[in-house]
Amino acid sequence: MNRRAAPSPRQPTDWQTPEMQRRIRRRYAAERRFRLMGAAAVFASAAFLVYLLATMIVQGASGFTETRLALPLDLRTRVVVSPAQLSGTTADLALAGAGLENAVDAAADRAYPTQGGATLLSDGAWLRVRDAIKRDPQVLATPTTIDVPVATGIDMAYKGVGTQESEAVVAALGAHLSRGLNVSFFTGADATDPTRAGIWGALKGSLLTMIVTLALAFPIGVLSALYLEEYAPRNRWTDLIEVSINNLAAVPSIIFGLLGLAVFLGTFHMPRSGAVVGGLTLALMTMPVIVIAGRNAITAVPPSIRDAARALGASPIQVVFHHVLPLALPGILTGTIIGMARALGETAPLLMIGMRAFIAAPPGRLTDPATVLPVQIFLWSDDVQTGFVEKTSAAIIVLLVVLLTMNGLAIYLRNRFETRWK
């Protein structure tokens, strides 16, 4: 009778050996280190972002406010203007010609002779009085008190960053000073006096430039993407075009500025520093981004959609414009908005075509001299007057709000209209 052999002692498996256990511990340790480095990178990025935003908000919040001085006025014998002049379109010229600015300075000298008189007032103080007269002509016939903006030094001292001399003046004025929203910052254009500088001129220039950019780059970019994906034959010329488009998307923006300077200004002699030239230049820079985003969105549409449309008798152009393009449009719009947001923040190409001029009035047409928000920020940051420091930070906040709004719109469009294929 055969007996079963006794089982041999159990041998440890591979993962139970001391060598394998050491390797496993090293892998786990490496994974923990990788997770810690990733968390540290995210934390550092968030900390830098919070520091940047906090710095901009702290420095720029005061740029949205202004310091005002209560100025007693009696213009009954100093400014003589007929009611007919105030009701017409020449009211501004009539008040300026009647000596309103000198009357406001004289009123300040009478009311605050020991604190500096007219030197306390901003260059635009008389404009505030002019606007009050236009709203209520009785100001010319009745003694009244109007809050007018003060000079830069007094304004900065009232906000806590002035010199010792200006702080003493602020202390002497006391309750005659007040602080309120600086409406002219949102309605005015560039000025040599920080208290009169506004953002609307640059913001309007940015809007006009973006209109030209979108009107040119979007249709050409979308049609190019459709042609390359749906109609273009696959050969070396198509491959060369695709490589060129991808390379153009990575070209430094200043190169497009040089191209705009040579073509639009040097060859076609278009108006220098006009919004139309800026829009054309930025359209050249944005078009490759739209083409790439459009091709990716078109490629994501399943071929079964095309086959089903053809099976129902649709022509090739109906397949593209009735089925493929509507399904790819959310991705195309998302890429377009991101490209436009990038163009809105560009400075270098616009500096090359002359959009860094001093623009004292908002542009009325596409050919009028204009500037844009990033260039305006650059110009203010380069100014030596301390009052422009807060204006620079305030303008950066406005630009960030516009960019965040555009990116938020892109995210909304993607989430709202995106179709997920299974």
Side-chain angles (χ1 to χ4, degrees):
M1 183 176 180
N2 294 330
R3 293 184 179 181
R4 183 180 298 177
S8 60
R10 185 178 180 181
Q11 298 296 326
T13 58
D14 291 342
W15 63 270
Q16 291 176 325
T17 61
E19 179 63 26
M20 184 58 67
Q21 289 295 317
R22 285 194 295 271
R23 292 181 180 180
I24 292 174
R25 286 193 294 270
R26 285 198 297 268
R27 287 201 298 267
Y28 286 165
E31 183 179 357
R32 287 193 297 270
R33 289 195 299 271
F34 178 77
R35 289 182 177 180
L36 288 175
M37 287 188 292
V42 172
F43 177 79
S45 301
F48 281 119
L49 178 61
V50 171
Y51 175 77
L52 172 64
L53 294 178
T55 302
M56 291 298 102
I57 292 174
V58 170
Q59 293 183 355
S62 59
F64 297 105
T65 62
E66 65 178 1
T67 305
R68 302 165 183 165
L69 176 66
L71 181 63
L73 288 171
D74 187 358
L75 304 176
R76 288 175 293 183
T77 59
R78 296 182 177 272
V79 179
V80 180
V81 180
S82 65
Q85 291 176 308
L86 293 178
S87 61
T89 57
T90 59
D92 294 349
L93 294 176
L95 290 172
L100 179 60
E101 183 175 3
N102 294 331
V104 171
D105 291 342
D109 290 333
R110 292 193 305 271
Y112 305 102
T114 59
Q115 288 84 15
T119 60
L120 298 174
L121 304 183
S122 165
D123 292 341
W126 75 277
L127 298 175
R128 193 67 54 86
V129 178
R130 182 199 66 186
D131 295 339
I133 294 173
K134 291 168 62 178
R135 289 192 303 268
D136 182 12
Q138 290 299 319
V139 173
L140 291 173
T142 306
T144 186
T145 299
I146 298 178
D147 291 336
V148 296
V150 299
T152 302
I154 307 301
D155 179 55
M156 299 304 296
Y158 191 78
K159 295 175 180 177
V161 290
T163 62
Q164 185 175 1
E165 180 181 356
S166 57
E167 289 176 354
V169 174
V170 168
L173 293 172
H176 297 287
L177 294 175
S178 61
R179 191 172 179 179
L181 180 65
N182 187 3
V183 179
S184 61
F185 178 76
F186 301 97
T187 59
D190 198 7
T192 56
D193 185 2
T195 60
R196 294 182 58 190
I199 203 68
W200 172 238
L203 183 58
K204 187 175 181 180
S206 295
L207 294 176
L208 294 176
T209 302
M210 290 298 103
I211 289 174
V212 176
T213 302
L214 182 62
L216 182 66
F218 181 73
I220 295 179
V222 173
L223 292 176
S224 300
L226 286 173
Y227 175 77
L228 291 174
E229 286 298 321
E230 300 293 331
Y231 296 104
R234 300 301 174 185
N235 52 37
R236 62 177 61 187
W237 290 109
T238 305
D239 295 338
L240 179 62
I241 293 174
E242 293 178 357
V243 171
S244 300
I245 292 174
N246 293 330
N247 289 334
L248 284 175
V251 168
S253 59
I254 195 170
I255 303 300
F256 292 99
L258 292 171
L259 179 63
L261 177 64
V263 175
F264 302 129
L265 297 182
T267 303
F268 295 104
H269 304 288
M270 300 182 72
R272 189 176 183 86
S273 74
V276 62
V277 180
L280 291 172
T281 304
L282 293 181
L284 296 177
M285 185 189 71
T286 308
M287 208 177 301
V289 178
I290 297 178
V291 173
I292 294 173
R295 294 189 63 188
N296 292 335
I298 294 169
T299 304
V301 178
S304 58
I305 300 295
R306 300 171 175 84
D307 296 337
R310 294 190 188 99
L312 293 175
S315 65
I317 194 170
Q318 287 176 329
V319 172
V320 171
F321 286 95
H322 292 179
H323 301 278
V324 176
L325 183 58
L327 293 174
L329 195 57
I332 295 175
L333 291 177
T334 300
T336 301
I337 293 174
I338 293 176
M340 295 293 294
R342 176 198 171 192
L344 180 62
E346 284 294 340
T347 304
L350 301 181
L351 292 177
M352 296 300 301
I353 61 173
M355 292 189 72
R356 57 168 297 168
F358 178 82
I359 307 299
R365 298 176 299 176
L366 294 175
T367 55
D368 290 344
T371 187
V372 292
L373 275 173
V375 176
Q376 188 66 78
I377 292 171
F378 168 76
L379 295 176
W380 283 351
S381 65
D382 198 41
D383 201 289
V384 297
Q385 299 187 62
T386 56
F388 280 109
V389 175
E390 63 177 15
K391 299 298 182 183
T392 302
S393 299
I396 291 175
I397 294 175
V398 174
L399 180 59
L400 288 176
V401 169
V402 175
L403 292 176
L404 290 175
T405 302
M406 295 183 67
N407 284 280
L409 179 60
I411 295 173
Y412 170 77
L413 291 175
R414 183 189 63 193
N415 295 335
R416 176 66 177 82
F417 299 105
E418 184 179 19
T419 301
R420 299 184 181 275
W421 307 102
K422 296 183 180 180

